[in-house]
Amino acid sequence: MENLNTSAYKGRIARVIYIFTAAIFVVFTVLTLILKISEDKPYWMTIIFTVIQGGLLLCMYYGIQNFLIHLSERMKWVFAICVFIIFFSLQVIMATALYGTIAYDFNYLFNAANAITNSGSMTGFDVYFAEFPNNTFLMLCFTNLFRVCNLMGGLSYIKALICVNIICIDISIILAYLSAKKMFGKKTSLLTLCMMLPVVGLHRGVALPYSDIFCMMFSVLTLFIYLHIPEQGVKRWIYIILLSLSCVIGFLIKPQVLIVPTAIAICMFLKEKVSWKTLWPEVKAACCFVLAFIVFNMGIGKYIDIEIRPYISAQLEEETAVSITHFMMMGMNETSNGFFSSDDYKMTLAHKGKKAKTEFNIKEIKNRLYQFGIGGY
């Protein structure tokens, strides 16, 4: 009896230690992000912080795992809700502390949406959106959110955007956890959750509601839907259509989302021996996905065209629009390491008309691929 009491006492002490180290881990992560230790301090200090955070992460993982075992199903839900409320509050505080000025491309999206909402005009921003039509859909989403803010008594636009931004981040974390649980089981999914809470949930992106964050949710949602597609029945086709819708919305926010369905397609055809019997259902699913993608893309594209046409003429868009090939070319710039290049931007703009720009981009892409050589990729 004494041994049992001693064991239970040691277990309680262990749980306290685990929870305490988890709290320290969160504090270290916030310090690393807010004080920018990795940028402002010597390299050796970054290594020390990384090692400490790694050790504390494992303590948090085993601590939560040990803690949850002793809770009922109802108390697990209560615990999860409490963690979400505390974590969401921490994200809001962090976003408020990090938020600076409205800058870069976000400046155009925010101010154009603000102008359309309150004055019915986007004078001064029409050239930008004619030049970069890839940002038009997200700008219209901002516009609709701002209209809702006005209906609710004039809520702060930027605060509403940051809250939506944080919600998208948290949904991404939850979907990633559930996807990991489906693929690898409880232990790995819990470790995934422990890693994503500080690394993704407390990232500087919480303070900048832009396409990088919003598209993330649809990337993970695409994987989540795919993992839950039934083998047969009507629900199978409904899930495939929803999968396509998720990809289209994500694609219109940021084209990189298509990496996920591309990876899924490759895995589908490599996961087992190829035979007509196993291949035919996958081919039908792929055809349904592509058809739904085209329909959704055309439908939402028509909505975008109707909404934006009063402000941007088709002629202006044709003369100034930069296609996706420009970004592919810029991504192959070795000098900028694939980041924004003002030289590439100027070279693209030097060609008049969308067709001429696209032809130049494709030619330059081929040249850069040739210069990379076999070992350059």
Side-chain angles (χ1 to χ4, degrees):
M1 189 70 176
E2 186 177 346
N3 289 336
L4 289 175
N5 289 335
T6 302
S7 178
Y9 177 70
K10 289 181 178 179
R12 284 195 293 271
I13 292 177
R15 286 197 292 276
V16 170
I17 293 172
Y18 287 143
I19 293 171
F20 179 70
T21 51
I24 296 176
F25 170 71
V26 172
V27 171
F28 266 80
T29 302
V30 173
L31 285 173
T32 303
L33 291 169
I34 294 180
L35 302 180
K36 297 186 291 185
I37 290 170
S38 60
E39 296 179 12
D40 300 340
K41 301 299 178 183
Y43 186 69
W44 62 267
M45 187 172 286
T46 303
I47 296 176
I48 291 174
F49 264 75
T50 303
V51 171
I52 292 173
Q53 286 178 319
L56 294 173
L57 172 63
L58 289 176
C59 288
M60 183 170 71
Y61 166 63
Y62 287 113
I64 292 175
Q65 190 179 34
N66 190 294
F67 177 70
L68 291 176
I69 290 174
H70 298 85
L71 295 180
S72 65
E73 198 64 32
R74 183 179 179 183
M75 288 306 298
K76 285 179 182 178
W77 277 103
V78 172
F79 175 75
I81 293 170
C82 290
V83 169
F84 172 77
I85 292 172
I86 294 170
F87 190 70
F88 184 82
S89 302
L90 180 60
Q91 286 176 301
V92 172
I93 293 169
M94 182 177 174
T96 304
L98 290 180
Y99 181 73
T101 58
I102 302 174
Y104 304 107
D105 289 345
F106 176 67
N107 170 62
Y108 293 97
L109 271 70
F110 183 90
N111 288 309
N114 187 17
I116 292 175
T117 303
N118 295 296
S119 65
S121 169
M122 59 182 299
T123 304
F125 304 103
D126 51 348
V127 175
Y128 172 84
F129 286 98
E131 196 172 302
F132 299 105
N134 55 297
N135 274 331
T136 304
F137 177 69
L138 188 57
M139 185 272 291
L140 292 175
C141 292
F142 282 17
T143 303
N144 291 324
L145 177 63
F146 294 172
R147 287 168 179 164
V148 172
C149 289
N150 287 348
L151 290 173
M152 297 179 68
L155 294 176
S156 168
Y157 293 163
I158 191 62
K159 288 181 180 178
L161 275 172
I162 287 177
C163 283
V164 172
N165 194 50
I166 292 173
I167 290 170
C168 287
I169 291 172
D170 292 347
I171 290 175
S172 300
I173 293 172
I174 293 169
L175 290 174
Y177 162 72
L178 294 174
S179 297
K181 187 176 181 181
K182 179 77 172 179
M183 291 188 292
F184 307 114
K186 290 183 179 180
K187 288 186 176 181
T188 303
S189 63
L190 187 58
L191 181 59
T192 301
L193 180 64
C194 290
M195 292 178 66
M196 291 193 69
L197 283 174
V199 175
V200 179
L202 296 176
H203 188 269
R204 289 190 183 96
V206 298
L208 182 59
Y210 189 54
S211 56
D212 303 273
I213 297 297
F214 293 123
C215 80
M216 176 175 65
M217 182 180 72
F218 291 99
S219 298
V220 187
L221 177 62
T222 298
L223 176 62
F224 176 80
I225 294 173
Y226 168 71
L227 292 173
H228 292 81
I229 295 177
E231 291 293 327
Q232 55 188 358
V234 178
K235 281 188 176 181
R236 174 176 173 82
W237 304 108
I238 293 174
Y239 273 66
I240 291 172
I241 292 171
L242 290 174
L243 178 72
S244 179
L245 179 60
S246 172
C247 289
V248 169
I249 295 174
F251 168 74
L252 291 172
I253 295 173
K254 210 156 188 96
Q256 287 89 326
V257 169
L258 291 184
I259 293 172
V260 177
T262 302
I264 289 173
I266 294 171
C267 292
M268 281 172 61
F269 291 104
L270 294 180
K271 66 180 180 180
E272 54 189 351
K273 292 182 179 179
V274 177
S275 67
W276 182 248
K277 186 177 180 181
T278 58
L279 192 61
W280 177 237
E282 307 293 4
V283 170
K284 289 194 294 183
C287 291
C288 177
F289 171 83
V290 171
L291 180 61
F293 187 94
I294 293 171
V295 171
F296 284 130
N297 193 43
M298 290 177 63
I300 299 176
K302 186 64 177 177
Y303 159 75
I304 294 171
D305 189 63
I306 292 171
E307 289 289 320
I308 207 69
R309 200 52 64 209
Y311 314 109
I312 301 174
S313 67
Q315 182 181 355
L316 177 62
E317 192 170 303
E318 176 59 32
E319 290 174 354
T320 59
V322 173
S323 70
I324 194 173
T325 52
H326 164 74
F327 300 100
M328 292 174 65
M329 180 190 79
M330 197 160 57
M332 297 177 185
N333 190 316
E334 290 186 285
T335 304
S336 66
N337 292 320
F339 290 97
F340 177 79
S341 168
S342 58
D343 291 335
D344 281 356
Y345 179 60
K346 291 174 183 176
M347 285 194 296
T348 298
L349 291 187
H351 296 77
K352 303 301 180 183
K354 188 176 181 179
K355 183 178 179 181
K357 289 185 178 73
T358 303
E359 288 175 352
F360 163 73
N361 293 150
I362 293 173
K363 182 180 178 181
E364 188 63 25
I365 287 169
K366 290 178 180 178
N367 289 336
R368 292 182 182 184
L369 287 173
Y370 179 76
Q371 291 170 6
F372 285 158
I374 296 175
Y377 295 99

